[in-house]
Amino acid sequence: MAQFRLQGSKVLAVDMTGDSVRAKNGSMVAYDGRMAFKKLSGGGEGIRGMVTRRLTGEQMVMMEVKGEGTCFFADRASEISLVALHGDKLYVESSNLLCTDGGLRTGTSFTGLRGGASGNGLFTTTVEGTGQAAIMSDGSAVVLRVTPQYPLSVDPGAYVAHQGNLQQHLQSGVNFRTIMGEGGGEAFQMRFEGDGLVYVQPSERNTVGGDV
């Protein structure tokens, strides 16, 4: 299995000994040793995945990297966080997924959230299995714990990913900035209940809800 490690906070180094990883297309910045690169269709899920992603609007272009040596990945100086999976599933915005171990499976999942929050459909990317994944954020990601006693509400523009036994809901008619006495802002909140982790970034991507 490939070994993931961070070089600082904005570069991912992956040590491979004949292993393979899947990474965001064009994110390789350097490598040593022998590496082979291949663009993957449908986020690495083949023709079916390509059709599914086009229908759902969840876009993700990945490449397979295989070889012996160390490959370095980065994307627009984004901060990188490592997520360890042990047979569980990670839900992540496709734009925030940098790299996954080759043994992990990617797919799309219905969430019922993004249609209202970002206008890109009702689906998000999933990563499942045993291995490591690297996710990106605009600024250092904050990992927040959700328990049955303490549910969590998140601004859709700050949401990056989540994992664990969580139920998610979209609450409309709630505006963080209006509460704070400011105009504009999000008209939606993402509410998580159950037991798990939610990754958020300290800045907001543009969303349709931001102008409501």
Side-chain angles (χ1 to χ4, degrees), residues 1 48 52 64 68 97 109-110 118 144 162 164 191 198 209:
M1 184 179 294
R48 181 177 179 180
T52 300
E64 180 184 62
E68 296 185 359
L97 182 60
S109 177
F110 178 77
S118 64
L144 302 175
H162 74 272
R191 183 176 175 85
V198 178

Side-chain angles (χ1 to χ4, degrees), residues 35-211:
M35 298 288 168
F37 302 86
K38 180 174 70 174
K39 185 177 179 180
L40 299 174
S41 301
E45 301 145 38
I47 299 300
R48 181 177 179 180
M50 181 170 59
V51 172
T52 300
R53 289 183 179 278
R54 285 184 177 178
L55 290 174
T56 61
E58 178 70 3
Q59 300 298 321
M60 182 173 65
V61 181
M62 304 291 284
M63 62 180 178
E64 180 184 62
V65 184
K66 185 176 182 179
E68 296 185 359
T70 302
C71 196
F72 300 88
F73 302 95
D75 186 56
R76 301 181 182 181
S78 297
E79 298 284 338
I80 301 171
S81 301
L82 299 182
V83 180
L85 297 175
H86 304 282
D88 51 329
K89 185 181 292 186
L90 173 73
Y91 297 82
V92 57
E93 290 288 315
S94 60
S95 61
N96 294 99
L97 182 60
L98 177 63
C99 186
T100 70
D101 189 275
L104 293 174
R105 301 179 299 278
T106 58
T108 55
S109 177
F110 178 77
T111 66
L113 291 172
R114 295 185 64 211
S118 64
N120 289 330
L122 299 174
F123 294 79
T124 193
T125 292
T126 60
V127 182
E128 186 175 9
T130 298
Q132 284 190 296
I135 60 176
M136 300 179 292
S137 57
D138 186 3
S140 299
V142 178
V143 185
L144 302 175
R145 182 80 190 184
V146 181
T147 67
Q149 295 78 21
Y150 295 97
L152 179 71
S153 295
V154 176
D155 188 316
Y159 169 79
V160 174
H162 74 272
Q163 64 183 135
N165 185 23
L166 293 175
Q167 297 79 48
Q168 47 186 325
H169 313 280
L170 181 67
Q171 296 181 328
S172 61
V174 181
N175 188 317
F176 280 128
R177 289 183 177 81
T178 298
I179 293 172
M180 299 303 294
E182 300 177 8
E186 300 295 341
F188 305 94
Q189 285 183 8
M190 297 169 68
R191 183 176 175 85
F192 294 90
E193 299 176 349
D195 188 6
L197 302 174
V198 178
Y199 299 78
V200 298
Q201 61 185 10
S203 64
E204 296 180 83
R205 68 177 67 82
N206 292 327
T207 65
V208 172
D211 295 326

